[in-house]
Amino acid sequence: MNTTKILTIVFYLASVGLAYFLVKGISDDIAMEKMIKSVEAKVIDKLIQIRDAEIAYQVSNGVFTSDWNRLVSFVDTGKIYLTERKETIITLDYGADSLHVEIDTLGTVGVKDSLFGPSFDASTLPFVPDSDEKFNIWADKIEKSGVMIDVIEVVDPSPVDPSRKEDNEIKNRKPLRFGSRTDVTTAGNWE
């Protein structure tokens, strides 16, 4: 064999090996991205459930709770009042409008039935999907413009996406969460 044939075979084998590693690297990245999106979708669904439960708890009790046992118990056995609101606008003699509001309580319904369905297992609420780890939850009152307000924050403690870090400047690249310790919001950073 001459040198040209040997070099041709060597370069051919090198190009096949390089092509294999490139394709494998790209397909591994695609598979990892799909897995991250799948897990984050489950985490977002769970955060939405927690947010719904916390809002119902706050409406019923006047404050948010950072106690998982209280929240789970509320979802299992708590009741939500069903109300009807009627508004009447009355035009006064001097042209201004006055609003008369009547709120009538129609009855109650179970939290689990109204928010999640009867087959929902409330004991799974605090846990990150596919994990034994609980979400970090914080609820308190803060002063905002001279008024004490309720705030809540629930955070995924260990995101599956390695780029989600607490020190990220971009809000939606931080670990998945809803609420805030400093603002009046229950919005999630995925929205």
Side-chain angles (χ1 to χ4, degrees):
M1 275 192 172
N2 63 20
T3 310
T4 308
K5 284 187 179 182
I6 293 172
L7 287 176
T8 302
I9 292 170
V10 168
F11 284 133
Y12 175 75
L13 292 175
S15 66
V16 167
L18 183 61
Y20 170 77
F21 285 114
L22 286 173
V23 169
K24 181 162 176 27
I26 290 171
S27 66
D28 287 350
D29 287 348
I30 291 171
M32 180 67 151
E33 189 67 29
K34 283 183 182 177
M35 188 271 302
I36 287 172
K37 283 187 179 189
S38 171
V39 171
E40 284 191 347
K42 291 178 188 177
V43 171
I44 289 170
D45 286 344
K46 182 64 70 111
L47 285 170
I48 290 170
Q49 290 175 343
I50 295 168
R51 178 174 59 187
D52 291 346
E54 281 285 355
I55 289 171
Y57 186 91
Q58 198 249 358
V59 167
S60 294
N61 298 298
V63 295
F64 291 115
T65 182
S66 59
D67 183 353
W68 284 118
N69 293 331
R70 282 187 187 165
L71 187 62
V72 168
S73 175
F74 174 73
V75 169
D76 271 338
T77 61
K79 302 283 185 197
I80 297 175
Y81 289 102
L82 299 175
T83 60
E84 180 179 51
R85 179 181 172 131
K86 294 180 185 175
E87 296 180 359
T88 307
I89 299 175
I90 302 166
T91 304
L92 301 175
D93 292 337
Y94 53 91
D97 290 335
S98 174
L99 180 66
H100 178 72
V101 178
E102 289 181 35
I103 299 176
D104 188 21
T105 303
L106 303 174
T108 62
V109 65
V111 174
K112 184 193 278 190
D113 295 336
S114 67
L115 293 180
F116 306 111
S119 63
F120 180 73
D121 183 8
S123 66
T124 65
L125 200 61
F127 295 98
V128 177
D130 303 328
S131 171
D132 292 334
E133 196 168 10
K134 288 184 176 183
F135 285 98
N136 294 337
I137 187 169
W138 180 88
D140 204 357
K141 288 186 176 287
I142 63 169
E143 183 179 339
K144 203 70 158 168
S145 302
V147 177
M148 295 302 286
I149 53 169
D150 294 310
V151 291
I152 185 164
E153 182 180 63
V154 178
V155 180
D156 180 4
S158 54
V160 70
D161 186 350
S163 68
R164 288 194 178 275
K165 303 226 185 279
E166 198 60 50
D167 58 353
N168 278 341
E169 293 293 324
I170 302 170
K171 187 177 183 179
N172 65 355
R173 293 308 310 153
K174 290 181 182 251
L176 290 171
R177 70 183 63 223
F178 76 84
S180 171
R181 291 179 184 231
T182 58
D183 292 325
V184 182
T185 183
T186 55
N189 67 341
W190 64 89
E191 298 174 311

